[in-house]
Amino acid sequence: MYKDFFDIKTSIEEGIKAQEKFLKSYESMISATNDHANQTPREVVFEEDKLKLYHYNKSTRSVNKVPTLIVYALVNTPSMMDIGQDKSFIKKLVDSGLDLYLIEWGFPTADDKYISLDDYINIYIDDVVDHIRKESGADKINILGVCQGGTFSLMYTALHPGKVKNLVTMVTPVDFSTDDGLLFKWGKYLDPDRMVEAYGVVPGDFMNTGFLTLKPLSLMVNKYVDVINDLDDPEHLSSFMTMEKWIFDSPGQAGMAYKEFLNAMYRENRLIKGEMEVGGKKVDLKKITQPVLNLYAERDNQVPNAASIPIGDYVGSEDYTAKSFPTGHIGMFVSRRSQEEVAPTVVDWLKSHSK
């Protein structure tokens, strides 16, 4: 009777197995590498202050003649788009024939406190675009803007329309009036002026705290349970560690640009009201008459669809295409759907519009 109720031998054996699995898991976590990011061959071709411009090595003879520049957000780093060669969004674009460039903004330090939106848009992006035009011999280039980088790209194209041939926006907010996401709710009540007064350069850890709370606790816990159950797959574990590094390794935010962006967008929604000014010049989205491709994620919990879909209502382009994908914000760049649907959509559209 007692043997059936409590088998000491079986209990001890199961305890030993559990301990062995724990030790093996610990060893696997310690030895796991997180070097799965940025493996697509590239080289630095231009530098300015903290900014670095990368040009990816061409991997096919069928290279699109019009170069494409990726403009990423200031929050986090763009390494998320180049994780693992089997699911790298960037590798897919390069292998499909795009002549690809990418801006890495770098990590601001105290002396970058006064970098403004004018600096980012009218100096940094413009200098990069001019370098690409000179290096490639192209009069105009394609721009692919991601998230906040897409908002920057909209403003840049409106201010410098003669240098942009085609514009692609991905998970890009333009209408900040929505309350669909926590970040968009909070943004209206944050006091960026006081934050910048306190920090100068707003720490990346502070930004992480805000973005991580957008995810339900169950999802945050479950991802660790999933990886523990899959520790026998070193490739999966390394990819997981790479993503964890990307999530937590966030740059600080240059104070001036940070408060300008929050005040103008989240608190006052100036861009779609036609009230946005950068460098003393009004940003008129109707001046964007180039072809525009707007891609958004149906399950995006960082940039709500209500913030992305209206792009077509405000640009002046007569060649405007919007397409949604049944995935999340990150899934647009790191997923099977990204490889099979999202990247090919970008490539096919750019090739058809770059002749």
Side-chain angles (χ1 to χ4, degrees):
M1 175 179 177
Y2 291 104
K3 183 178 180 181
D4 294 336
F5 180 73
F6 185 70
D7 190 328
I8 296 178
K9 181 179 178 182
T10 301
S11 178
I12 292 175
E13 289 175 349
E14 289 178 350
I16 292 173
K17 289 179 181 179
Q19 188 176 33
E20 289 175 345
K21 184 175 182 178
F22 173 79
L23 291 173
K24 182 180 179 181
S25 301
Y26 180 77
E27 291 173 357
S28 298
M29 293 288 283
I30 293 297
S31 60
T33 60
N34 58 0
D35 58 356
H36 275 46
N38 298 323
Q39 291 187 342
T40 303
R42 61 181 186 169
E43 61 178 330
V44 177
V45 293
F46 177 78
E47 295 185 63
E48 186 171 8
D49 298 333
K50 303 291 194 308
L51 177 153
K52 290 184 179 181
L53 175 66
Y54 286 92
H55 187 199
Y56 289 89
N57 296 353
K58 300 171 185 178
S59 62
T60 175
R61 293 181 181 179
S62 178
V63 176
N64 195 17
K65 293 181 179 179
V66 181
T68 298
L69 169 66
I70 295 179
V71 180
Y72 196 75
L74 300 178
V75 180
N76 290 117
T77 67
S79 62
M80 174 268 297
M81 294 189 294
D82 191 20
I83 291 181
Q85 291 296 278
D86 61 332
K87 57 183 178 182
S88 167
F89 179 78
I90 282 177
K91 184 175 187 297
K92 186 72 173 181
L93 298 185
V94 173
D95 288 350
S96 299
L98 294 192
D99 185 10
L100 199 63
Y101 291 79
L102 168 77
I103 291 175
E104 282 199 358
W105 296 110
F107 285 67
T109 53
D111 56 327
D112 298 315
K113 174 182 177 179
Y114 296 105
I115 291 179
S116 65
L117 289 182
D118 182 30
D119 294 320
Y120 280 116
I121 294 168
N122 289 322
I123 296 180
Y124 291 144
I125 295 180
D126 196 42
D127 286 351
V128 163
V129 169
D130 283 345
H131 176 86
I132 296 172
R133 292 168 65 221
K134 181 178 179 180
E135 183 176 81
S136 66
D139 183 48
K140 299 179 180 182
I141 73 166
N142 299 324
I143 292 183
L144 191 163
V146 178
C147 194
Q148 181 194 34
T151 312
F152 280 13
S153 299
L154 284 165
M155 291 190 281
Y156 177 81
T157 304
L159 292 168
H160 304 271
K163 299 180 181 182
V164 181
K165 186 172 182 61
N166 300 294
L167 175 62
V168 180
T169 55
M170 297 186 67
V171 291
T172 292
V174 67
D175 184 354
F176 290 78
S177 65
T178 179
D179 285 333
D180 286 356
L182 285 177
L183 181 60
F184 283 72
K185 288 181 180 179
W186 292 350
K188 298 173 179 61
Y189 303 101
L190 291 174
D191 188 345
D193 296 84
R194 292 187 63 182
M195 291 160 58
V196 171
E197 183 180 350
Y199 291 112
V201 172
V202 182
D205 289 342
F206 176 86
M207 303 300 296
N208 270 335
T209 301
F211 281 104
L212 291 178
T213 52
L214 298 178
K215 296 184 178 181
L217 180 60
S218 59
L219 292 181
M220 297 298 290
V221 173
N222 286 343
K223 69 174 182 177
Y224 294 108
V225 174
D226 291 341
V227 77
I228 288 174
N229 290 332
D230 206 13
L231 284 171
D232 291 333
D233 183 354
E235 187 75 14
H236 172 75
L237 182 57
S238 291
S239 295
F240 173 82
M241 296 295 286
T242 302
M243 282 298 296
E244 287 296 283
K245 182 178 185 297
W246 173 78
I247 290 172
F248 290 100
D249 191 19
S250 298
Q253 301 294 296
M256 181 67 73
Y258 177 77
K259 68 179 182 180
E260 285 178 339
F261 191 83
L262 258 69
N263 283 328
M265 303 300 175
Y266 288 96
R267 302 187 73 179
E268 300 174 18
N269 205 21
R270 290 184 209 160
L271 186 57
I272 63 169
K273 291 179 180 178
E275 300 172 357
M276 184 69 191
E277 289 190 3
V278 177
K281 296 181 180 180
K282 185 162 289 187
V283 180
D284 182 3
L285 295 181
K286 289 299 181 183
K287 290 186 177 180
I288 300 177
T289 57
Q290 297 87 342
V292 176
L293 174 64
N294 181 26
L295 306 180
Y296 59 96
E298 294 172 10
R299 298 194 294 270
D300 199 324
N301 63 357
Q302 293 187 33
V303 178
N305 291 172
S308 295
I309 292 175
I311 288 176
D313 296 332
Y314 296 99
V315 297
S317 176
E318 295 182 359
D319 184 352
Y320 173 81
T321 303
K323 185 173 178 58
S324 66
F325 297 89
T327 185
H329 191 85
I330 306 303
M332 291 285 281
F333 308 96
V334 183
S335 67
R336 180 178 296 177
R337 189 176 300 279
S338 173
Q339 291 288 298
E340 297 177 355
E341 298 179 33
V342 183
T345 296
V346 173
V347 171
D348 292 345
W349 187 86
L350 281 176
K351 284 186 175 181
S352 67
H353 286 77
S354 300
K355 297 177 181 178

